Amino acid sequence: MIHETAQIHPSAVIEEGVKIGANVTVGPFTYIGKDVEIGDGTEVMSHVVIKGPTVIGQDNRIFPFAIIGEECQDKKYNGEATRLVVGDRNVIRESVQMHRGTVQDKGVTTVGSDNLFCVNVHIAHDCVVGDNIIMGNNATLAGHVTVEDYAIVSALSPVHQFCTVGAHSFIGGGSIVVQDVPPFVMAQGNHAKPFGINIEGLKRRGFEKPELHAIRRAYKEIYRSGKTLAEVKPVLEEMAQEFPSIGLFVKLFENSTRGIIR
């Protein structure tokens, strides 16, 4: 079903069963396969490929040569009807790839809202990408990666499968991430190592001084106290009672399967 206000270029190929919302534009030479749903106000530019099952929300901008909802690059994939779900107001630049999930995991790759994905970003199968995230040119997520809200993954930085990039963290350009990056932490290098707290980013997002001081104390407990994570955890749990943001550290430690960067 194509809404009457949608503008579809005559050279675009739209398969049967596609749902296209109000005021959507589809540019020339774009292909949209069956089982695709595109929300109101989304702009799909020229030479884009969108395959399903895929759901794309409202007011997204998808630039030329992006490939959205293609089958994943996993040898275990055998044509199952896995999905990709994309939120609202994302900017998806040229040649970005977002792949559907696998039945061996959640069966769905999930991308949130208000994100910027720069040229040639790759989001592999079963990733969970939050909101307000920036991924620079050629940043790459392997399968099963989680990127939490407000994180920044700079250009040319790959993230190993099953890793988590914590909320409000910052990964410098050209870094290789093979373990979890805790929330609020700046990381850089091959392999990525911690280099303090992302203070400037937190200030821009309205964090007040008492909370910033608490996050710094938590960082020192984790990285400079000489304690194990098991010894640090109860300290952070107590701090989280006054400053809920510290609870993000605790949550990451509880769910981590690859350990944190050191």
Side-chain angles (χ1 to χ4, degrees):
M1 181 179 70
I2 300 176
H3 195 275
E4 60 184 9
T5 62
Q7 300 179 41
I8 312 295
H9 193 276
S11 66
V13 176
I14 312 293
E15 290 194 351
E16 292 288 336
V18 173
K19 296 181 180 179
I20 296 180
N23 301 308
V24 170
T25 60
V26 178
F29 305 107
T30 281
Y31 169 82
I32 302 178
K34 62 182 180 179
D35 297 323
V36 171
E37 180 177 341
I38 301 177
D40 298 349
T42 288
E43 179 184 8
V44 183
M45 301 183 194
S46 68
H47 300 87
V48 174
V49 174
I50 305 177
K51 292 187 176 182
T54 291
V55 176
I56 298 173
Q58 299 183 9
D59 299 316
N60 295 284
R61 301 186 71 210
I62 305 176
F63 281 71
F65 303 104
I67 301 176
I68 309 298
E70 184 58 273
E71 64 181 55
C72 62
Q73 299 177 141
D74 189 319
K75 293 179 70 174
K76 298 188 298 297
Y77 182 75
N78 195 31
E80 299 90 352
T82 55
R83 298 187 300 137
L84 168 69
V85 178
V86 179
D88 305 325
R89 299 174 303 279
N90 295 290
V91 176
I92 301 171
R93 294 300 307 236
E94 296 86 347
S95 301
V96 168
Q97 310 115 46
M98 297 181 179
H99 290 171
R100 304 194 306 272
T102 63
V103 295
Q104 287 77 22
D105 193 355
K106 300 174 285 295
V108 59
T109 301
T110 304
V111 176
S113 299
D114 300 298
N115 301 302
L116 170 59
F117 302 106
C118 295
V119 172
N120 207 38
V121 162
H122 178 76
I123 298 176
H125 59 88
D126 303 294
C127 287
V128 178
V129 179
D131 301 329
N132 298 289
I133 287 159
I134 298 173
M135 293 186 65
N137 294 349
N138 296 285
T140 302
L141 306 183
H144 318 280
V145 167
T146 297
V147 182
E148 297 179 343
D149 297 349
Y150 290 98
I152 296 176
V153 183
S154 297
L156 301 168
S157 295
V159 182
H160 192 283
Q161 61 185 1
F162 295 104
C163 284
T164 294
V165 178
H168 301 277
S169 62
F170 181 95
I171 296 174
S175 299
I176 297 180
V177 179
V178 299
Q179 291 183 293
D180 296 344
V181 179
F184 313 114
V185 167
M186 293 190 299
Q188 173 76 48
N190 177 13
H191 295 152
K193 297 180 181 179
F195 286 90
I197 294 295
N198 182 19
I199 292 295
E200 291 304 316
L202 297 179
K203 287 179 179 177
R204 293 191 197 107
R205 295 167 202 142
F207 282 70
E208 300 292 341
K209 283 187 178 180
E211 193 161 22
L212 292 175
H213 291 324
I215 292 170
R216 276 177 165 151
R217 291 200 306 272
Y219 180 90
K220 290 178 181 178
E221 283 288 328
I222 297 165
Y223 287 112
R224 298 180 183 172
S225 68
K227 298 177 183 176
T228 66
L229 289 184
E231 293 169 331
V232 168
K233 184 181 174 183
V235 178
L236 300 184
E237 288 173 335
E238 183 176 351
M239 292 174 63
Q241 295 178 15
E242 182 177 1
F243 299 101
S245 60
I246 304 302
L248 295 177
F249 287 109
V250 178
K251 178 183 175 183
L252 178 69
F253 299 160
E254 290 176 342
N255 296 329
S256 178
T257 60
R258 293 191 55 81
I260 66 170
I261 59 172
R262 288 292 191 180

